[in-house]
Amino acid sequence: MANQEDIFKKVISHAKEYGFIFQSSEIYDGLSAVYDYGQNGAELKKNIREYWWQAMVQLNDNIVGIDAAIFMHPTTWKASGHVDAFNDPLIDNKDSKKRYRADVLVEDHVAKIEGKIDKEVAKASKRFGDTFDKEQFLKTNPRVLDYRTKANSILKRLGKSLENEDLADVKALIEELGIACPISGSKNWTDVKQFNLMFGTKLGATADSAMDLYLRPETAQGIFVNFLNVQKTGRMKIPFGIAQTGKAFRNEIVARQFIFRMREFEQMEMQYFIKPGTQKEWYDTWKEKRLGWHLSLGLGEEKYRFHNHEKLAHYADAAADIEFKFPFGFKELEGIHSRTDFDLGSHEKFSGKKLQYFDPEENKSYVPYVLETSIGLDRMFLAVFSSALQEEELDNNTTRTVLKIPAVLAPTKAAVLPLLKRDGLPEIAHNIVDELKWDYNVAYDEKDAVGRRYRRQDAVGTPFCITVDHQTLEDGTVTIRHRDTMEQQRVAQKALKDIISKEVDVRQWLQRI
Ligand code: GAP
């Protein structure tokens, strides 16, 4: 079986080869941690965004969506705490001159320990076969328990040192764990320092009138500053939510792992405004709702887990990540944060404007508390794409590469393939495309043998291939091939719309939440 690194390399090369993701400005040798989405990637990304928007905005009558500007008044970032506290602890290796995030070095070390637990499980599962009880094994095996204790105590210490801003202890931890630079192999480290992640820019034409701005590092603040505008114009009653998708920018120190950590990326965030004191209840509710959204896509329940934060951001009284099993291990995919009244309270102070809600039931005004759900669209793309990419051994000793993207998210829903380029078959195929294209993207492909065309569609995740052949001329039927099972059915042309809709219709998917 291919190792994780090979699988990840395959994901990256497949994304490029099939028009999903290209490195930004590649002809100039690219820009580190910035990527462009190609013709298939843009469609998949759009479909993920829509799936989120429909679940959050369309299906909740108390959540509305906005689209705030990327540029914001610079005081926004003073009020939000980003100017003072949006830092990453960084450390340099003196030999390779490479810069790392100190917390990521430690977390990678812990991931290796967790990898050892997975290996123990795999070994035991092989040894005990059908009688293997994984839960029991994880609870009782001394080696596993030892690894677990070690991993937990490292993370606890890291969390505590970061919370106390004890950067000397973070360095001490790196040294005690014997962490070496992945490039030079040396353990010759500098001290750990804080580094602000916001990109600065200027607004205005002349040097003396220009204003220093930041590119927004999160979309959330565009929602906070519009809280009253939306509440008043939409006559919203608490609890209510404001959702938004859009670009965010962070000058990440460790920009690696493809689109997992980018310098320009897209977020899908929702702030839920609630009565103070109800935050625990809404925190639990939104953790469950968001996990339900993920599970509805059918990527596999075992791919997700919650990670409750030990170290809380400056604005939160509780926070958890939904982690996903990426090819490089479990990592954060989405955050659910109980943000208290920190943001609205702080914007009140800095702007001098009241940001309060008059609660008719309580007959008083207050600054609402906020429960936030925040997911990276690019990270979600990577979760879908990497788990969908599969190599299958076929009966005839060949392999096929197939992207088993959930049909609702697939860039193209169907491809229409005339068996030959003559005898009127292309005309019928074009007619089918013309009929179906009103509802979703449909491709037409007449080049090469039909088997190769199937493979090409498998590789971009098209759920259905429709083949037009000579029998079509006689009785109006076509074959429809299902991507995942490769099963083929002979059906009437008229039935195509219903068969495809059944699998790609968003309602079928969202109803699973
Ligand atoms: N408003 C809260 C907030 O921004 P965050 O945990 O910093 O919280 C939320 O970010 C989500 O945004 C993360 O869970 C991740 O999916 C995504 N994200 C954050 N930084 C990213 C980066 N550099 N590249 C890609 N996605 C990123």
Side-chain angles (χ1 to χ4, degrees), residues 179-244:
I179 296 175
C181 165
I183 308 276
S184 65
S186 108
K187 298 175 188 169
N188 195 6
W189 297 108
T190 61
D191 287 343
V192 179
K193 282 190 220 111
Q194 293 289 18
F195 175 83
N196 194 286
L197 298 183
M198 284 195 292
F199 284 104
T201 184
K202 287 200 183 293
L203 181 93
T206 60
D208 35 332
S209 67
M211 190 182 199
D212 285 316
L213 290 191
Y214 295 106
L215 297 185
R216 68 179 178 197
E218 62 171 14
T219 56
Q221 298 304 323
I223 291 178
F224 290 124
V225 299
N226 279 299
F227 158 71
L228 264 195
N229 284 337
V230 175
Q231 191 271 321
K232 289 222 152 89
T233 56
R235 286 178 291 124
M236 310 298 289
K237 289 205 169 50
I238 270 179
F240 73 91
I242 306 179
Q244 163 165 233

Side-chain angles (χ1 to χ4, degrees), residues 412 415 417 443 445 453-462 465:
T412 302
L417 323 171
D445 188 3
R453 285 183 262 168
Y454 284 154
R455 291 289 175 276
R456 276 204 291 271
Q457 295 302 329
D458 285 346
V460 295
T462 308
C465 284

